[in-house]
Amino acid sequence: MNRQRKIISVIGSGQATPEESRLAEEVGRELAKQQAILVCGGLGGVMEAACRGAKAEGGLTIGILPGDNRETANPNVQIPIITGIGYARNASVAKTGEAVIAIGGSYGTLSEIAFALQSGIPVIGLGTWSLYRNNQRDMSIVQVGTASEAVGEAIRLAKT
Amino acid sequence: MNRQRKIISVIGSGQATPEESRLAEEVGRELAKQQAILVCGGLGGVMEAACRGAKAEGGLTIGILPGDNRETANPNVQIPIITGIGYARNASVAKTGEAVIAIGGSYGTLSEIAFALQSGIPVIGLGTWSLYRNNQRDMSIVQVGTASEAVGEAIRLAKT
Amino acid sequence: MNRQRKIISVIGSGQATPEESRLAEEVGRELAKQQAILVCGGLGGVMEAACRGAKAEGGLTIGILPGDNRETANPNVQIPIITGIGYARNASVAKTGEAVIAIGGSYGTLSEIAFALQSGIPVIGLGTWSLYRNNQRDMSIVQVGTASEAVGEAIRLAKT
Amino acid sequence: MNRQRKIISVIGSGQATPEESRLAEEVGRELAKQQAILVCGGLGGVMEAACRGAKAEGGLTIGILPGDNRETANPNVQIPIITGIGYARNASVAKTGEAVIAIGGSYGTLSEIAFALQSGIPVIGLGTWSLYRNNQRDMSIVQVGTASEAVGEAIRLAKT
């Protein structure tokens, strides 16, 4: 394996809607087809669906877990990273990606988006947060409509 | 000192505009008058101005620093907490408050807002972010227009 | 309050022996008499006993908690810092002190000793770990026999 | 790739002696021959030598970095995990391993040994720390004399 493979983080809620799960699985598949390594928070919902898609295409999946126990990783995580630092691990999930794909998501996802943008890491959004700062739209999140657009933009924009 | 004193976090940019500094200093003064303990990230800008206001009124100021060095605390921090965990300390800044007052702010502030909301801690906003999730306004941030309203709401809503 | 007050961390097991509790309480009392601010991990055992002693003498006590919930602080913690980062908060407990007093303790305490020594922060030991590196004694921990010696050395050696 | 592959952490100083480098490289080679995934702190010295050995045998290497910048990873790290949490990442390095091999090392290594033992993760020592608690030898570190013994014990004892 070489460092030329892109590392892309997929973030979103641990309780996904069926539509979010479908999108996440497709994102995972597409990432694997592009030889990208998938990083996520290692738990359920969007994270699990993305790992499932990636694994189905022979991709490599990494889960950066909040807790102390590798058994909390979803079954499609191949390499569990045990942080034990709780939600502060969101910073690691965001920053380990060369780009981040956000699918839906609640406040944990929002913190990851914030950490990525703070580090200048591109964020691609699929039905996720949009941001206004002091009543002005912040256009930093690249909003797209399909899984394949999300992966295409993530690969194209990935910070090297 | 007893635990009845409220602990309120003040968050915002390390590079504040003059207007943000003025607001932050007034927020600090008001918090001290209400006997609240002020928690912040310990650095400059909004954090420094808030500490300056609190200290001028005899208040207690705590700075939860990102780095390993207490000398990075602004001169109005009375108790520097040295985390050494970088921006992951944003989670601590947010969660240590029983309420959070956000003044302006960039992506670091946004991550703190996200962590506070995730923990059910009230967030009061002064010229800060507003949030839309999947195109629907998220009304969780209590947007106010003046420093004294911000402090009033923070004390009133503080999670006990 | 001014920054001239020393900040001293007291570390040790959450399950203390009666002798460790007695020592910790006396350390807390002595620190308060010296106007030092007591920092600890905020939980039970040595941490609670030290806070009890400090509070009895009117001292200020800060607990840097591993979890997300301020209710886990012992009742003698006046200012709970909520980190949510689990045992990784041990680095913060160690580094926030200008000196560290270790009373007994298990592996968590050992990690705190290691972080303090790594940062050049003096460590005073009371019935705690001693260290050999590649079969050579490491003399960095200042081993003492009484609570009052421990506090005396901590104040004298405190890194300013 | 499947989850049957062991994940072993190799810890030690960022400035290694020639002997430590030689041992670390051999440990890396042996781990790769055993199909184990090598986790380390991602920097130089022992970490770099271990990754070099593993990579030479076609192994997979993961570096859990303290900083915000993937460029700080040594060139033999294939998957850099960006934590941004400084030395608090030592807890992650220790806990991500199903066993830990410590080669020499200073206080950072000691903190990792402490975190591993706290979590019940076996620690194998090669010329590293030994521990006495209240003047009694703590036998938890499995002290060995050669790289191949270290890897053998790590694989045998790995916590599943």
Side-chain angles (χ1 to χ4, degrees):
Chain A
M1 208 186 79
N2 62 49
R3 287 273 276 282
Q4 266 61 60
R5 289 178 67 176
K6 299 290 183 197
I7 299 180
I8 308 292
S9 295
V10 178
I11 62 177
S13 178
Q15 282 92 38
T17 64
E19 171 64 5
E20 287 167 353
S21 287
R22 193 191 60 70
L23 279 168
E25 186 165 346
E26 199 181 332
V27 162
R29 281 183 184 275
E30 284 297 317
L31 285 171
K33 285 185 198 166
Q34 304 284 334
Q35 310 298 323
I37 296 169
L38 186 155
V39 167
C40 70
L43 302 180
V46 159
M47 300 169 260
E48 181 164 7
C51 288
R52 187 169 55 240
K55 209 176 160 194
E57 293 288 339
L60 181 60
T61 60
I62 297 174
I64 301 181
L65 295 165
D68 271 336
N69 187 342
R70 75 189 66 238
E71 301 314 315
T72 58
N74 74 60
N76 298 305
V77 167
Q78 291 167 316
I79 303 179
I81 306 292
I82 317 297
T83 71
I85 62 168
Y87 289 111
R89 74 73 156 92
N90 293 5
S92 301
V93 173
K95 292 177 181 180
T96 294
E98 293 165 287
V100 171
I101 298 173
I103 302 170
S106 184
Y107 297 121
T109 302
L110 179 60
S111 73
E112 293 168 323
I113 290 172
F115 281 122
L117 294 177
Q118 186 185 43
S119 291
I121 297 168
V123 176
I124 323 300
L126 270 169
T128 190
W129 294 93
S130 47
L131 307 172
Y132 289 73
R133 187 179 352 191
N134 208 359
N135 298 316
Q136 290 223 279
R137 179 75 182 267
D138 177 310
M139 301 297 289
S140 304
I141 302 174
V142 179
Q143 308 279 1
V144 298
T146 68
S148 102
E149 277 177 283
V151 171
E153 287 298 291
I155 299 284
R156 188 174 71 81
L157 296 171
K159 194 188 174 196
T160 48
Chain B
M1 207 187 80
N2 62 47
R3 287 274 276 281
Q4 266 60 59
R5 290 177 67 176
K6 299 290 184 197
I7 299 180
I8 308 293
S9 295
V10 178
I11 63 177
S13 178
Q15 282 92 38
T17 64
E19 170 65 4
E20 288 167 353
S21 286
R22 195 191 58 71
L23 279 168
E25 187 166 346
E26 198 181 333
V27 162
R29 282 183 184 276
E30 284 298 317
L31 286 171
K33 285 185 198 165
Q34 304 284 335
Q35 310 298 325
I37 296 169
L38 186 155
V39 166
C40 69
L43 302 180
V46 159
M47 300 169 260
E48 180 164 10
C51 288
R52 187 168 56 238
K55 208 176 161 195
E57 294 288 340
L60 181 59
T61 60
I62 296 174
I64 302 181
L65 295 165
D68 272 335
N69 187 343
R70 75 189 67 236
E71 301 314 315
T72 58
N74 74 61
N76 298 304
V77 167
Q78 290 167 317
I79 303 179
I81 305 292
I82 316 297
T83 70
I85 62 169
Y87 290 111
R89 73 76 156 88
N90 293 5
S92 302
V93 173
K95 292 177 181 180
T96 294
E98 293 166 284
V100 171
I101 298 173
I103 302 170
S106 184
Y107 298 121
T109 302
L110 179 60
S111 73
E112 292 168 323
I113 290 172
F115 281 122
L117 294 176
Q118 185 185 42
S119 291
I121 296 169
V123 176
I124 323 300
L126 270 168
T128 190
W129 294 94
S130 47
L131 307 173
Y132 289 74
R133 190 181 345 195
N134 208 359
N135 298 316
Q136 290 223 282
R137 179 75 182 265
D138 177 309
M139 301 296 290
S140 303
I141 302 174
V142 179
Q143 308 278 2
V144 298
T146 68
S148 103
E149 278 178 282
V151 172
E153 287 298 289
I155 299 284
R156 188 174 72 81
L157 296 171
K159 194 189 175 194
T160 48
Chain C
M1 209 188 76
N2 62 47
R3 285 274 277 281
Q4 266 61 59
R5 290 178 67 175
K6 299 290 183 197
I7 300 179
I8 308 292
S9 295
V10 178
I11 63 177
S13 178
Q15 282 91 39
T17 64
E19 171 64 4
E20 288 167 353
S21 286
R22 194 192 57 72
L23 279 168
E25 187 165 346
E26 199 182 333
V27 162
R29 282 184 185 275
E30 284 297 318
L31 286 172
K33 286 185 196 165
Q34 304 284 335
Q35 310 298 324
I37 296 169
L38 187 154
V39 166
C40 69
L43 303 180
V46 159
M47 299 170 262
E48 179 164 11
C51 289
R52 186 168 57 238
K55 208 175 161 195
E57 293 288 342
L60 181 60
T61 61
I62 297 174
I64 302 180
L65 295 164
D68 270 336
N69 186 344
R70 73 190 69 236
E71 301 314 315
T72 59
N74 74 61
N76 298 305
V77 167
Q78 291 167 317
I79 303 179
I81 305 293
I82 316 297
T83 71
I85 63 169
Y87 290 110
R89 74 77 157 88
N90 293 6
S92 301
V93 174
K95 292 178 180 180
T96 294
E98 292 165 286
V100 171
I101 298 173
I103 301 170
S106 185
Y107 298 121
T109 302
L110 179 60
S111 73
E112 292 168 323
I113 291 172
F115 280 122
L117 295 177
Q118 185 185 42
S119 290
I121 296 169
V123 177
I124 323 299
L126 270 169
T128 190
W129 294 93
S130 47
L131 307 173
Y132 288 74
R133 191 185 338 197
N134 208 0
N135 298 316
Q136 290 223 279
R137 180 74 181 268
D138 177 310
M139 302 296 290
S140 304
I141 303 174
V142 179
Q143 307 279 1
V144 298
T146 68
S148 104
E149 278 178 283
V151 172
E153 288 297 291
I155 298 284
R156 188 174 72 80
L157 296 171
K159 193 187 175 197
T160 48
Chain D
M1 210 187 75
N2 62 46
R3 286 273 277 280
Q4 266 60 59
R5 289 178 68 174
K6 299 289 184 197
I7 299 179
I8 308 293
S9 295
V10 177
I11 63 177
S13 177
Q15 282 91 37
T17 65
E19 171 64 5
E20 288 167 353
S21 286
R22 194 193 57 72
L23 279 168
E25 186 166 345
E26 199 182 332
V27 162
R29 281 183 186 275
E30 284 297 317
L31 286 171
K33 285 185 197 164
Q34 304 284 335
Q35 310 297 323
I37 296 169
L38 186 154
V39 167
C40 69
L43 303 179
V46 159
M47 300 169 261
E48 180 164 9
C51 288
R52 186 169 55 237
K55 207 175 161 195
E57 293 288 340
L60 181 60
T61 60
I62 296 174
I64 302 180
L65 294 165
D68 270 338
N69 187 342
R70 76 188 67 237
E71 301 315 315
T72 59
N74 74 61
N76 298 305
V77 167
Q78 291 167 317
I79 303 179
I81 305 293
I82 316 297
T83 71
I85 62 169
Y87 290 111
R89 74 78 156 86
N90 293 5
S92 302
V93 174
K95 292 177 180 181
T96 295
E98 293 165 286
V100 171
I101 298 173
I103 302 170
S106 185
Y107 298 121
T109 302
L110 179 60
S111 74
E112 292 168 324
I113 290 172
F115 281 122
L117 295 177
Q118 186 185 41
S119 291
I121 296 169
V123 176
I124 323 300
L126 270 168
T128 190
W129 295 92
S130 47
L131 307 173
Y132 289 74
R133 188 180 348 192
N134 208 0
N135 299 316
Q136 290 223 282
R137 179 74 182 267
D138 177 308
M139 302 296 290
S140 303
I141 302 173
V142 179
Q143 307 279 1
V144 297
T146 68
S148 102
E149 278 179 282
V151 171
E153 287 298 292
I155 298 285
R156 189 174 71 80
L157 296 171
K159 193 187 175 195
T160 47

